[in-house]
Amino acid sequence: MSEQTVLTEKVGRIAYVILNRPEKLNALNADLFRDLDAALEDIEKDDSISVVILKGNGRAFSVGYDVGKYKEPSVTDDRDNLEAFTRRWLRVWEYPKPIIAQVEGYALAGGTQLLACCDIVITDEEATFGFPSLPLGGGFVGIYWGWHVGPQRAKMLDLTAGSRISGKEATDYGFAAKCFKKEELEEETLKIARGIAKTPLDILKLKKKAHNRMMELQGFRTGVMFGPEQDAIIHTADGIKLVHKKIKELGLKGAIEWFNSQEV
């Protein structure tokens, strides 16, 4: 029997949902998605729980999608797969109970899509947020950032492959609500969750829906649903094929070194 990739723990009216692939820095794969869906579904039905804290086990929140050997799907299949990811993130965004993300260590690439769909992000001030080290797609991850950090910062980070910012910078930019020292993070996040959980659950659900409705009116859902088409098209670009060729020739580490050593 495979190890559970998502763990749950209940503390009063708070439920912890813990991504549990520490040896893979909580990279997102089919097993983790299945267990995450099941955990959130169970907690949604439990009226004794008002707030969810989502965090990662080990040295990372999540480093994004667990990418295996590259396959070249048709544009239609690629788009459909990317849309399935997007609809999952929208289900997190639509989740009726408040979800607080507690970030320690790395939060990269697809892991930041998950964060962007949580209601509140609380981070270790020395955590690392960022984008993939090589340009292997586009218009899929970065568009989530613009809602929180504004278009200029989103473009600066997204257009620079391998860009990284600290938890302190993520808070200054608006991607996170608050940051704390690593040793204070757990206690302070729980304190915030308990403050929210004092409000009756029916009120919390309606208040969250009101905030989401404003984002909906501004185009959040339509915007992120554009991502799968954009990314699927970019995956057919000659530049993407070149990067995959370099990975095949040099290995991932070598391809990153090649990319960073370019003179422009």
Side-chain angles (χ1 to χ4, degrees):
M1 183 176 178
S2 60
E3 185 179 5
Q4 195 78 3
T5 63
V6 173
L7 307 175
T8 59
E9 178 184 345
K10 296 178 182 179
V11 180
R13 298 189 65 83
I14 317 300
Y16 282 93
V17 174
I18 305 163
L19 308 183
N20 188 43
R21 296 187 73 208
E23 74 288 351
K24 296 292 185 181
L25 299 180
N26 298 317
L28 307 168
N29 68 357
D31 290 340
L32 188 146
F33 282 138
R34 178 201 63 219
D35 291 345
L36 178 60
D37 290 346
L40 290 175
E41 184 177 347
D42 287 346
I43 292 167
E44 182 178 347
K45 296 173 183 176
D46 186 348
D47 288 339
S48 73
I49 298 298
S50 294
V51 180
V52 175
I53 295 177
L54 177 64
K55 66 177 187 175
N57 188 11
R59 297 187 298 115
F61 175 79
S62 173
V63 293
Y65 300 104
D66 193 347
V67 181
K69 186 176 180 181
Y70 177 65
K71 298 177 182 179
E72 193 170 345
S74 70
V75 173
T76 302
D77 288 344
D78 194 14
R79 191 212 71 87
D80 290 348
N81 289 333
L82 293 165
E83 183 174 302
F85 292 137
T86 301
R87 291 191 181 279
R88 173 172 279 102
W89 302 145
L90 285 172
R91 289 198 297 273
V92 171
W93 180 68
E94 294 169 334
Y95 194 71
K97 300 178 181 183
I99 299 179
I100 301 173
Q102 177 182 312
V103 180
E104 184 176 333
Y106 294 99
L108 305 176
T112 66
Q113 290 176 301
L114 174 54
L115 290 179
C117 289
C118 293
D119 299 296
I120 300 167
V121 177
I122 309 298
T123 180
D124 166 12
E125 61 187 15
E126 296 181 0
T128 300
F129 293 70
F131 286 78
S133 297
L134 291 170
L136 292 170
F140 188 55
V141 173
I143 59 174
Y144 288 75
W145 281 69
W147 288 91
H148 302 284
V149 307
Q152 288 196 52
R153 282 172 169 161
K155 289 176 184 178
M156 177 180 68
L157 294 166
D158 189 18
L159 300 182
T160 307
S163 59
R164 302 283 189 269
I165 58 174
S166 68
K168 174 67 166 58
E169 288 173 303
T171 306
D172 292 342
Y173 283 12
F175 198 84
K178 282 192 172 185
C179 65
F180 297 97
K181 295 184 183 302
K182 183 176 180 178
E183 62 270 19
E184 300 172 352
L185 180 63
E186 186 90 20
E187 180 182 350
E188 293 294 339
T189 304
L190 182 57
K191 189 183 299 182
I192 290 167
R194 282 174 167 158
I196 293 171
K198 290 178 182 179
T199 296
L201 180 57
D202 56 351
I203 297 176
L204 288 177
K205 288 181 176 181
L206 291 169
K207 286 168 74 74
K208 172 173 176 172
K209 190 175 287 290
H211 284 284
N212 279 12
R213 197 74 80 199
M214 291 299 100
M215 290 181 69
E216 185 110 49
L217 286 169
Q218 294 170 37
F220 177 75
R221 183 190 305 275
T222 302
V224 299
M225 284 299 290
F226 176 71
E229 284 88 1
Q230 181 68 22
D231 204 27
I233 292 169
I234 290 177
H235 286 164
T236 68
D238 289 341
I240 300 294
K241 293 174 183 177
L242 172 62
V243 176
H244 280 294
K245 180 182 177 183
K246 291 296 183 181
I247 293 173
K248 187 174 182 180
E249 292 174 353
L250 306 172
L252 180 58
K253 185 176 179 180
I256 293 171
E257 291 175 354
W258 158 80
F259 181 82
N260 290 333
S261 66
Q262 295 178 98
E263 293 185 8
V264 295

